[in-house]
Amino acid sequence: SSMMNVSPGNSSQFGNRPIQVNVRANHSNVALSRKSGNSFQFANRTVPVNEHGNHLDIISSREADNPSQSANQTVTVNEPAHCINYSPESIRASRVHWHVEAADANVSMYSLSPQHTLGVQITSLSGRSQEIMRKYVGRSALIQEQQKIMRNHSSNANSHPKMSNKRDNASAPDYDKYLGCASGQKPNGTAVVVVQNFYCANMWHALANIHGIWLLLQTAEIESATIILPREYGSPFKFPPKYIADVMYPLFVDRSNSGAHSQNCYEQILFMETPRYRPGPYWEYLKLRGKTCSKESPYMIMHFDFYTAARTATMELLGLQNAPNNTRPFVCYMSRRLRDERRRYFSPQLQTVVEEAIDTWAKRNDGLVAFDRLEFDENVPFEEQVERSRQCSVLFGPHGAGLGHMLWMESGGSVIEIGDKSECAAYFGEMASWYGHSYTCLSEFNGHGISQSQKGGIYQSLNVTLLLKVLDDVVSKELAHIS
């Protein structure tokens, strides 16, 4: 477990990272290490943690020894609970683990998000037959065992999402088919079994799943898998790349043996699932409002670590290691013109007004900023999408998966989203905070003038003057930063 050294003053350490704390009494250093649930460990004692809205009250060892001193011995950590609880280290502490003697296999389960995303790791110790493995560690068997553990009131198990009875390509992978060994085989290699949104064109849906698999492997402390299954969503990956998984697979699989494993009999099988459609902790993390966490919190560091690893793997694969040399703001408009039926795009009349205004703005600021109109669909090579998006220091456009291309921008960029008449959905504001970008929602401004059709969310009106003013303000900040 990670170590938190709490001392008088206004800062402390979580692992090697500082967090902000307030110490209400001037007492000697108190060393606390995180345990599962609402407790910390001090020496050989467990001390309680009380949640109070946006902070945790950690009862120090001296208070535990002398409860009458509680008013003077409380240390307040100014981080919401999830800012500390969601990192590979803390998720690892949520593990429920057991041995299945009949299959000679170990099973571990992890809560990757509070309610909806479960990670499972099955380790075969001696390579029992397919029939035996499917009987004792297949989906039906694990569902029964998880329910039994929950009935026994295991605190960790009770915090886990329940395994799903589904076996489909959307929420719960059919891993049973990859269990077991033929006679004489010895188990080797690690297989990760995924579902459809791991390999799809929608940036947000794919990233939600890819991040979840990355987090599961980090939590299970597995550096590299042998193969991603099933093959229609996994190994071997395509080059030139078609989807985001084709550039991110080095996060999971060693490039030298991608797809090399030709048969079952895996030593380890890992998968992630949800009782809802499309697994991935991103979906639930939206509700946590990570913007309330400090950049130094374990939760935000976890997201930034993924951002760094994903960009590094992608740029190395595509030979784009050199960072863009922008000497002026590079403004990118993410257009949805190519979307079918104008979904969340502008009506024909509004399109003319908005896009002519954007073009005029770009010409007026030529020399001050660089400008690119991004219109991506499956006909635009994914390598080109990455190369153009990574140039951007400002990315703006209507709500849609294309804003997920902020992943390729250098940290410290700016994102402007055109939402609906009342708000912007949480997706891209949260993502911007995770990856170190500033974020502006046009829908939060008075006089935004946004109206949309009931079907398809087609924009019928928009205050274009306000949009350009917001864009001017963001660009002015970018210019100040460059200078």
Side-chain angles (χ1 to χ4, degrees), residues 50-62:
N50 300 319
E51 291 192 35
H52 296 291
N54 287 337
H55 69 269
L56 303 177
D57 280 344
I58 304 175
I59 311 304
S60 76
S61 165
R62 293 200 311 176

Side-chain angles (χ1 to χ4, degrees), residues 181-428:
C181 299
S183 178
Q185 282 186 305
K186 292 184 178 181
N188 70 91
T190 297
V192 177
V193 188
V194 299
V195 295
Q196 178 269 337
N197 68 312
F198 181 87
Y199 195 76
C200 71
N202 185 295
M203 277 284 290
W204 172 268
H205 294 173
L207 270 175
N209 196 275
I210 288 169
H211 166 265
I213 295 297
W214 172 85
L215 182 58
L216 175 58
L217 290 177
Q218 293 285 309
T219 299
E221 299 182 284
I222 294 176
E223 184 175 344
S224 180
T226 309
I227 194 169
I228 306 292
L229 296 168
R231 289 185 179 272
E232 59 263 35
Y233 308 142
S235 310
F237 292 91
K238 295 179 175 61
F239 196 87
K242 181 180 180 182
Y243 296 140
I244 189 172
D246 291 320
V247 295
M248 283 202 185
Y249 78 84
L251 285 176
F252 318 114
V253 181
D254 190 317
R255 290 174 61 183
S256 64
N257 69 351
S258 174
H261 206 289
S262 60
Q263 54 187 337
N264 289 359
C265 195
Y266 299 102
E267 182 179 5
Q268 296 194 88
I269 289 179
L270 293 95
F271 60 91
M272 176 183 69
E273 65 173 64
T274 179
R276 296 185 174 187
Y277 187 58
R278 299 187 178 116
Y282 264 18
W283 298 100
E284 194 167 355
Y285 287 166
L286 296 179
K287 303 173 186 177
L288 298 180
R289 298 292 178 181
K291 288 176 282 190
T292 60
C293 301
S294 72
K295 291 181 180 179
E296 295 80 16
S297 66
Y299 173 80
M300 295 297 278
I301 288 171
M302 174 267 292
H303 281 295
F304 198 79
D305 284 349
F306 170 73
Y307 163 78
T308 302
R311 292 184 76 253
T312 299
T314 299
M315 300 311 164
E316 288 182 355
L317 185 71
L318 298 179
L320 301 173
Q321 292 95 324
N322 295 328
N325 185 25
N326 291 336
T327 57
R328 53 183 176 163
F330 201 115
V331 180
C332 297
Y333 165 50
M334 181 62 70
S335 172
R336 291 177 60 83
R337 186 179 65 85
L338 301 181
R339 287 292 300 171
D340 293 340
E341 300 180 340
R342 294 182 174 268
R343 181 172 172 80
R344 290 198 300 273
Y345 184 54
F346 307 115
S347 68
Q349 296 79 9
L350 187 59
Q351 173 190 342
T352 301
V353 174
V354 172
E355 303 213 338
E356 284 185 359
I358 291 172
D359 288 341
T360 299
W361 180 92
K363 291 176 182 177
R364 185 176 71 245
N365 290 284
D366 187 34
L368 190 65
V369 303
F371 179 80
D372 192 10
R373 183 193 302 267
L374 306 178
E375 294 183 339
F376 296 157
D377 64 7
E378 294 191 34
N379 294 316
V380 179
F382 195 81
E383 184 173 359
E384 178 184 335
Q385 296 182 35
V386 173
E387 188 165 9
R388 291 173 64 185
S389 299
R390 80 185 191 115
Q391 302 287 334
C392 308
S393 58
V394 178
L395 178 67
F396 76 99
H399 174 82
L403 292 179
H405 284 281
M406 74 173 82
L407 175 68
W408 315 121
M409 294 164 53
E410 294 286 326
S411 184
S414 300
V415 177
I416 303 170
E417 180 177 2
I418 305 170
D420 62 27
K421 65 180 181 181
S422 59
E423 64 178 0
C424 294
Y427 302 91
F428 301 109

Side-chain angles (χ1 to χ4, degrees), residues 424-445:
C424 294
Y427 302 91
F428 301 109
E430 289 298 295
M431 181 180 283
S433 72
W434 296 338
Y435 301 162
H437 304 312
S438 68
Y439 173 79
T440 303
C441 171
L442 189 72
S443 304
E444 295 176 357
F445 287 79

